[in-house]
Amino acid sequence: MPHFVYRITKYDPADRNDHGHYVGVEQPTSDHGPVEEAYLRAVDAFASAAGIDHVAIREPRIAGAARFGLEPTSEDHGLGGLFPSGPSGFHDGAEISLSIGLELVRAMLRGNGVWCRLEVEDTFAVHVGWDQYVYVSSDKPCESALASTQALGLFTEPLQASPYEADVDEPGVQRPADEDFWARLRWLIASRQAAILEEGYLDNASRWHRVTGNTLDAVRAGLAPRARLTVWPDLSVDVDAVLATLPAEGLVEVVWEDENGVITSTVVDETEHRALSAQVTRARAAAVLPLDVGLRRPLFTAVLPDSDGVLRARWRTEQTPSDRDWAFLKKLRRGQIVTGVVTVIADFDVTFVDIGGFTAMINLPELSWRRFGHPSDVVSVGQEISAEVLDVDLVRERVPLSLKALQPDPMALFTQQVGQVVTGVVTHLVPFGAFVRVEDREDGLEGLVHSTELSEEPVTDAEDVIQVGDHLLVKILDVDPTRRRITLSHLQALAHPGA
C-alpha cells in the first residue's frame, strides 16, 4: 500500500483534550460552502501531485450504514447525475474520472448516504471518515499538496495507515462465481434443491432473483459487476405457514414473490407483523430468514470475478459448508494420494471416508482387485486408509476414491504365467463350463475352462465331468487384465509335456 498517509481535517489540533477528542466549536457536518470546497481542493491537490486523474470505486455502499454526518440522507444518496448509466455505474471496480470522484467525496462529507473507497491500486487512495475527516494515501510524499492544504486553512497529520484501509487478510479463500459455480447452481436447480439467487450489488443492498433452468443465463447477464451472490433454497408456496413462523420478538428478514413475479425483501420486528401480513396476502411464495449470520442457511455463496476471470473484489461472503467443501476440493487433484478414516460402510455397497473434513466415497469395484463377499471384508469403520483420487466433481461435490489403485494388480502379474500348467480348484459350474481358482489362496484369481476344453467328448453339462471342489489340471491360455478374464484349458494341460 502507499507509504505516505495523511489525515486532512478542519479541526485545529490545539482544540483537543488529553484523550485526543476535538472540543472546539467546529460542527461535525459539512458547511456546503468554503470549508467543503477546501476539502475537495485539497484532495485534488494530492491527486495532482501524485499524477492521478482517474480512481476506482471500491466496496461501495449506501443508506444508513454509510452515514458519517448528522445531515438527512438525500433521496439519490448523492449519486444524482454522476453516472451516465444511472446509479448502476456505482459498483466495485468502476473506473471514474477524478472530477466524479471529488463529487463522491462531497456526497460523503455531506453524509448523503453514499460511501466508498476511492483508490488507485498500490498508488493512491482517498477515504472519508466520521465527522469530516479525510484520509489521503500516496506512494509519493506530495509536499506541494501539503503546502496547498495548509494554505486552504485545513490541517494535515501524518499517519501510519488510514483507519479505513480495506481488510484483505481475512482467512480462507473466497469462492468465485466461475463456470464451476454456475454449473453447480444449474445442477441444483435441475434437482430442485435451489431456486433463489440473492445478488448483493452493494455492500449493504441486495436484489433477489427466482431462477429456473430457462432464466438462469438471463439473470446471470444482468448481475452487477463484482456482486456477492448467495444461493438459497426455493421460497415456500405455503405463505400462511411461513408467516406463522415469525418470531414473537426480534428482527427477521422476510422475502416474498408477489403476484407479478417480483421478489422483495424487508426487515421487520414484531410491531410490523400485521402490516407485513397484509402486504404479502397475494404473494406466490415467501420465506423468513434470521438476521444472525450463524442461523442463516444459504446453500453456497460466491463473488463475481471480472470479465477476464480474475476475482478482484475484496469483500467476502460468509462461508457455508458447501463453500468450505469447495475450498477443500480445489486443493485436490486426480491421481493424488489421500489419507482418511472409514466412517460408514453403506448397505448400497459404497464406503465413505473422511479425508480431512470432507466425505469421499469408494465404490464397490474400487475396494480391491480380488473378489470379496462384502466391503467389510476389505475395510472396517474407523480404519485409517490411503487411497487414490479418481476424480474431483465440483458440481456434485463428490470425490470418488480407489483403494485398489495403490495395490498391485495380481492379474497383471499373472500374465507372466501364460502357457504354464497348474493345478486349481473348481469353484463353481456354469452352463458353458467351469471356473477354477488358479491361485492357492481363498480370494485367489479364477479362470474359465470352457466346456469344449474340459473333455475330448462333447460336454452337455459340466457336472457330468467334474464337481465343485475337485482339483483340476489346467493350462493358462490367456490373461486379459483389462477385461478381467483368464482363459484355461484342461485338455491342453493333459497334452502338455510332463503333464
Side-chain angles (χ1 to χ4, degrees):
M1 294 304 294
H3 300 297
F4 302 95
V5 182
Y6 303 98
R7 176 166 63 183
I8 302 172
T9 174
K10 63 183 179 181
Y11 308 120
D12 190 330
D15 294 330
R16 292 184 184 163
N17 61 23
D18 293 340
H19 300 287
H21 299 150
Y22 177 70
V23 293
V25 297
E26 293 282 354
Q27 293 300 308
T29 57
S30 173
D31 66 345
H32 295 232
V35 176
E36 180 183 272
E37 290 302 322
Y39 272 115
L40 299 183
R41 289 174 62 187
V43 172
D44 186 43
F46 274 93
S48 297
I52 300 299
D53 58 7
H54 282 74
V55 291
I57 295 171
R58 301 309 309 266
E59 292 83 50
R61 66 179 70 161
I62 57 173
R67 292 188 58 202
F68 299 114
L70 303 177
E71 302 174 70
T73 302
S74 66
E75 290 186 6
D76 59 13
H77 306 290
L79 296 175
L82 291 186
F83 300 95
S85 60
S88 62
F90 183 63
H91 63 79
D92 188 72
E95 289 272 339
I96 58 174
S97 66
L98 180 61
S99 60
I100 293 178
L102 291 175
E103 289 306 311
L104 287 175
V105 172
R106 186 194 303 277
M108 288 187 274
L109 287 170
R110 293 183 179 185
N112 278 341
V114 66
W115 190 84
C116 65
R117 298 179 178 91
L118 298 173
E119 298 181 359
V120 177
E121 190 172 359
D122 298 327
T123 302
F124 187 78
V126 179
H127 305 149
V128 178
W130 289 94
D131 297 343
Q132 305 290 288
Y133 288 103
V134 175
Y135 301 85
V136 178
S137 306
S138 175
D139 63 348
K140 299 179 175 63
C142 300
E143 294 173 351
S144 61
L146 288 169
S148 298
T149 300
Q150 292 168 358
L152 290 166
L154 300 176
F155 301 92
T156 58
E157 303 169 74
L159 300 176
Q160 292 296 316
S162 165
Y164 295 91
E165 203 72 67
D167 181 7
V168 295
D169 295 324
E170 295 183 34
V173 178
Q174 175 60 57
R175 185 178 196 161
D178 55 13
E179 292 306 321
D180 288 331
F181 170 90
W182 294 109
R184 175 157 178 76
L185 176 54
R186 190 175 296 279
W187 180 74
L188 287 174
I189 292 171
S191 58
R192 299 188 177 183
Q193 297 180 56
I196 301 298
L197 180 66
E198 180 184 2
E199 172 198 3
Y201 61 96
L202 295 175
D203 186 31
N204 53 351
S206 295
R207 286 187 285 260
W208 296 77
H209 310 275
R210 201 174 190 187
V211 289
T212 66
N214 294 329
T215 64
L216 181 58
D217 290 338
V219 169
R220 178 182 177 182
L223 297 173
R226 301 188 182 182
R228 287 182 294 188
L229 306 179
T230 305
V231 178
W232 296 89
D234 199 1
L235 303 178
S236 171
V237 295
D238 191 345
V239 177
D240 291 338
V242 170
L243 293 176
T245 65
L246 289 170
E249 60 180 11
L251 291 170
V252 292
E253 183 175 16
V254 181
V255 184
W256 71 94
E257 182 183 36
D258 67 18
E259 61 270 28
N260 299 315
V262 177
I263 298 182
T264 305
S265 74
T266 187
V267 176
V268 298
D269 62 17
E270 64 277 7
T271 66
E272 302 165 290
H273 288 180
R274 180 172 296 181
L276 174 70
S277 297
Q279 193 174 6
V280 301
T281 298
R282 297 184 179 179
R284 295 177 181 174
V288 174
L289 306 177
L291 292 184
D292 187 333
V293 171
L295 298 177
R296 290 167 77 92
R297 294 289 184 267
L299 299 175
F300 59 110
T301 67
V303 174
L304 274 177
D306 291 346
S307 58
D308 60 1
V310 177
L311 184 59
R312 295 186 177 89
R314 290 188 297 229
W315 45 33
R316 309 295 290 272
T317 61
E318 293 292 336
Q319 282 198 330
T320 68
S322 175
D323 297 332
R324 288 188 285 273
D325 286 345
W326 167 85
F328 180 81
L329 296 183
K330 290 295 286 186
K331 300 176 183 177
L332 294 182
R333 294 291 180 270
R334 185 178 299 179
Q336 181 177 344
I337 307 303
V338 295
T339 299
V341 176
V342 176
T343 56
V344 176
I345 299 176
D347 291 337
F348 46 91
D349 294 334
V350 175
T351 299
F352 294 99
V353 183
D354 184 330
I355 56 172
F358 180 85
T359 300
M361 60 185 183
I362 306 177
N363 288 311
L364 194 67
E366 296 299 328
L367 278 172
S368 176
W369 293 107
R370 299 184 178 277
R371 61 183 178 85
F372 52 88
H374 188 269
S376 59
D377 296 336
V378 182
V379 293
S380 58
V381 173
Q383 179 183 352
E384 183 174 285
I385 63 170
S386 294
E388 180 179 309
V389 175
L390 295 180
D391 190 26
V392 180
D393 187 340
L394 291 171
V395 174
R396 293 171 176 80
E397 293 185 352
R398 294 177 181 172
V399 177
L401 304 176
S402 175
L403 188 62
K404 73 178 187 182
L406 302 186
Q407 305 164 354
D409 180 359
M411 189 168 285
L413 297 175
F414 212 68
T415 58
Q416 301 172 15
Q417 298 190 40
V418 172
Q420 293 186 17
V421 173
V422 298
T423 298
V425 178
V426 178
T427 57
H428 56 286
L429 305 177
V430 291
F432 46 85
F435 281 92
V436 178
R437 187 172 67 240
V438 290
E439 274 190 309
D440 188 17
R441 48 185 294 170
E442 272 304 310
D443 58 358
L445 296 176
E446 296 180 355
L448 173 66
V449 181
H450 195 272
S451 297
T452 57
E453 296 293 331
L454 277 173
S455 172
E456 292 182 349
E457 301 296 327
V459 177
T460 303
D461 190 339
E463 196 172 10
D464 296 338
V465 181
I466 55 174
Q467 302 294 320
V468 171
D470 287 353
H471 287 75
L472 191 68
L473 194 68
V474 293
K475 181 178 181 180
I476 302 171
L477 301 183
D478 184 53
V479 177
D480 187 341
T482 302
R483 301 171 68 188
R484 315 303 299 168
R485 292 180 180 178
I486 298 175
T487 306
L488 306 173
S489 172
H490 175 58
L491 280 178
Q492 294 188 39
L494 293 175
H496 194 273

